[in-house]
Amino acid sequence: MTAPRPMRDFGLEVFFSEWEFTARHHMTASDLESMSVPDLLALATPEDRGAYEKLWLGYTETWGAPALRAEIAATYDGLAAENILCLAGAGEGLYAVSKVLLDGASHAIVSTPNYQSAETIPLSVCDATGVPMHRTQMKGGWRVDLDDIRAAIRPNTRLLSLNFPHNPTGMLMPRDDLQALIDLAREHGIWILSDEVYRGVELDPADRMPQIADIYERGISLNVMSKAYGLPGLRIGWIAAQDRDLLQRVERYKHYLSICNSGPSEVLALIALKARERILARNHALLSRNVVALERLFADFPGLIEWTRPLGGCVAFPRFVGRKGAMRFAANCWKKAVCFYCPARSMLRS
């Protein structure tokens, strides 16, 4: 039995808090280009715009507005509104799912590198094993080795936490590997929490992975309006699952956290989801243009950066190979060009 342990500081967010809002050029944003409230409302139907303007600012339903849950469910292949629980961003989902599924006798497996809370929160409850990404000649340059996951499984392994498109490498898992992973998890009765916040902005839509809640009975899909949709200010996220008992348990845990979501944010999220094809098309165009511009920039400074084009999402994991190290390079960029980069070491700060 593992005793509860304190969570270390969120190193990435500590680093961001120092530099994010003072940099002129923010080169390490993890979300697509956002939009203003008037721009978003311009995409609304007259009925939805009227609903926003006449909104009553009381408490909302803990599960989320029924219309919002139904629209979210429509982004999956075989789920209904009853399979959706709305949350205050994706972070609440990462926290609540770990707290509900894990206890001191449990064990979790997480891919590394990762968004820190996917690892730190399970570690505050139980033992956790990190399974590293490997460099490969496969498309995208990175791969999760299923043999590594198999070797990490213990009799008490309860949760496998993954993230695709992966942050920070942009990796996507081939469909055959994904099915083999599901078969392995099913064999051992393991839940898969799949962070899918960048789904919809793959550079090549043909690489898009299915959502885990659609294809695995113990799959939990995590998503949010922040990343692919570029609307982090709404703070609307959700989990989707076939197992409604699991959703009920997380909903009960939410009573101790946010309780409910912001009413204005729910209406604006509904408007955005109804216009998702236009928003995602716009964001995909920005992504496609910017990755080419970034590659041109790297080409102008040969010998400074090792680079593999990501398959999805708006983040990447280039390796700085110049003199004096990435931390010094990032600091110099900030001081001389007011340009903000995020060195990998900042993700490890405690």
Side-chain angles (χ1 to χ4, degrees), residues 11-12 15 113 168 317-318 326-327 330 341-349:
L12 181 66
F15 185 80
F317 204 42
M327 290 293 286
Y341 293 92
C342 182
R345 189 181 301 173
S346 68
M347 301 175 70
L348 305 177
R349 290 172 50 174

Side-chain angles (χ1 to χ4, degrees), residues 134-254:
H134 293 285
R135 300 283 288 183
T136 176
Q137 297 302 312
M138 291 175 58
K139 182 180 179 182
W142 296 88
R143 185 172 186 265
V144 175
D145 192 322
L146 296 181
D147 287 337
D148 288 348
I149 294 178
R150 185 177 292 106
I153 293 174
R154 304 177 187 175
N156 60 336
T157 300
R158 180 96 171 137
L159 178 67
L160 170 61
S161 180
L162 300 171
N163 163 220
F164 302 109
H166 181 250
N167 179 1
T169 67
M171 171 208 161
L172 288 162
M173 182 175 277
R175 180 60 191 264
D176 288 348
D177 283 3
L178 178 61
Q179 186 57 56
L181 182 66
I182 291 171
D183 293 341
L184 180 63
R186 182 178 288 123
E187 177 186 349
H188 293 275
I190 298 171
W191 293 88
I192 298 178
L193 173 60
S194 178
D195 177 340
E196 298 161 356
V197 299
Y198 290 112
R199 191 175 191 272
V201 285
E202 298 81 2
L203 281 171
D204 182 353
D207 292 328
R208 186 167 300 155
M209 293 171 57
Q211 298 175 101
I212 200 71
D214 276 324
I215 58 175
Y216 180 40
E217 65 277 6
R218 287 199 169 198
I220 307 164
S221 288
L222 176 74
N223 215 322
V224 73
M225 297 305 299
S226 303
K227 304 301 185 181
Y229 294 94
L231 298 170
L234 296 184
R235 310 312 303 140
I236 296 292
W238 62 88
I239 57 172
Q242 297 178 31
D243 191 307
R244 297 184 186 180
D245 177 67
L246 179 278
L247 292 173
Q248 179 76 76
R249 292 166 61 197
V250 177
E251 186 262 352
R252 296 293 168 84
Y253 201 92
K254 182 183 174 182

Side-chain angles (χ1 to χ4, degrees), residues 27-41:
M27 297 293 290
T28 190
S30 63
D31 55 303
L32 272 294
E33 185 71 22
S34 197
M35 62 178 69
S36 67
V37 172
D39 286 343
L40 181 54
L41 288 175

